[in-house]
Amino acid sequence: MTPSSPKLSHAIDRIHEIELDSWLSEPADSTPSDSVRIVFLSTDPCELDLNEGLQPELFSCDSLHNFIRLGYHQQPFVLVTEENRQECSAKDLEVLLSRRSPYSFRLILKDNKTALTLSQEVNEALAEVHASHGLEKRVSEKTRAIFRETHTESLPYSSREFQQANKVLRERVRKRIENEPEKFLQDAISHIRK
């Protein structure tokens, strides 16, 4: 057992004391600093009717290799592509991206969709990615605050103890949101639009 284990235990106890419903219903201090990218992968970009307030960056990329090489996966994103791809299936693409990207993302399949249908799907995906990314940032900020409270010495946020505590809080939040995912998404979207 490492000397920091009692302090980690104290931080985890504090995490379990958090009243999640009231904390999750509080408005976030700020909107996520990372904007969400919309990337058209190996498909022609099209006009999208996007909701105001989400402010995405639009990119086009000719291959998955270039998408990764250019680092588009290093920020929250919505990827618009065709279902039948030469590089890999849509299912394999999602698995690959979930392993490579440290951020929230959604995959939208463009195949034969009208501009209106595609715009609606992209708007929903943007809102979900914004909400997920914002929540992830809030979890990290809360874990940092608890660590400042419970640790007299400064621990790097890359430390194993911080990562374990962050994981515990993330898991609690995930379980809570799974009970009412629609309510969480609705609340998160309303905070984004304010």
Side-chain angles (χ1 to χ4, degrees):
M1 195 179 259
T2 64
S4 62
S5 290
K7 290 181 181 179
L8 174 61
S9 179
H10 184 59
I12 289 175
D13 288 345
R14 283 280 299 115
I15 286 169
H16 285 292
E17 292 170 5
I18 296 169
E19 193 351 276
L20 287 183
D21 286 335
S22 62
W23 179 63
L24 289 172
S25 65
E26 292 172 8
D29 293 336
S30 62
T31 57
S33 58
D34 299 323
S35 65
V36 176
R37 295 174 170 165
I38 297 175
V39 182
F40 289 90
L41 178 63
S42 303
T43 188
D44 293 328
C46 61
E47 268 311 298
L48 295 172
D49 182 20
L50 300 175
N51 292 339
E52 290 184 32
L54 295 178
Q55 312 273 321
E57 299 176 276
L58 295 167
F59 297 94
S60 183
C61 203
D62 63 351
S63 70
L64 178 59
H65 172 76
N66 283 339
F67 175 82
I68 301 288
R69 186 180 61 77
L70 293 168
Y72 290 151
H73 66 297
Q74 294 297 324
Q75 189 170 321
F77 63 92
V78 173
L79 190 67
V80 180
T81 190
E82 303 294 335
E83 184 169 10
N84 296 317
R85 304 180 36 75
Q86 288 183 333
E87 298 161 308
C88 63
S89 70
K91 182 181 177 185
D92 289 341
L93 176 62
E94 192 159 12
V95 170
L96 174 80
L97 292 173
S98 66
R99 291 181 180 158
R100 296 294 297 261
S101 179
Y103 293 99
S104 304
F105 72 91
R106 292 293 179 274
L107 183 64
I108 303 288
L109 302 177
K110 183 181 175 188
D111 302 308
N112 302 321
K113 291 180 180 160
T114 66
L116 177 63
T117 301
L118 188 60
S119 292
Q120 289 171 336
E121 283 189 35
V122 169
N123 279 317
E124 287 173 16
L126 281 170
E128 288 175 14
V129 171
H130 265 284
S132 295
H133 182 59
L135 183 60
E136 185 63 35
K137 287 187 98 165
R138 288 185 71 193
V139 165
S140 290
E141 287 166 8
K142 188 67 167 177
T143 307
R144 284 185 182 105
I146 288 170
F147 260 64
R148 283 190 297 271
E149 259 177 47
T150 59
H151 289 69
T152 52
E153 79 281 354
S154 179
L155 260 178
Y157 297 130
S158 59
S159 71
R160 198 181 96 212
E161 290 86 355
F162 178 82
Q163 295 302 324
Q164 286 176 324
N166 199 48
K167 184 178 177 182
V168 168
L169 181 54
R170 189 182 314 117
E171 188 62 21
R172 278 197 71 209
V173 169
R174 184 189 64 76
K175 286 179 180 173
R176 177 63 193 98
I177 289 172
E178 280 179 354
N179 291 336
E180 297 177 276
E182 300 83 17
K183 180 186 180 309
F184 163 72
L185 186 57
Q186 213 170 22
D187 289 349
I189 291 169
S190 71
H191 289 307
I192 290 168
R193 290 186 178 149
K194 286 181 183 176

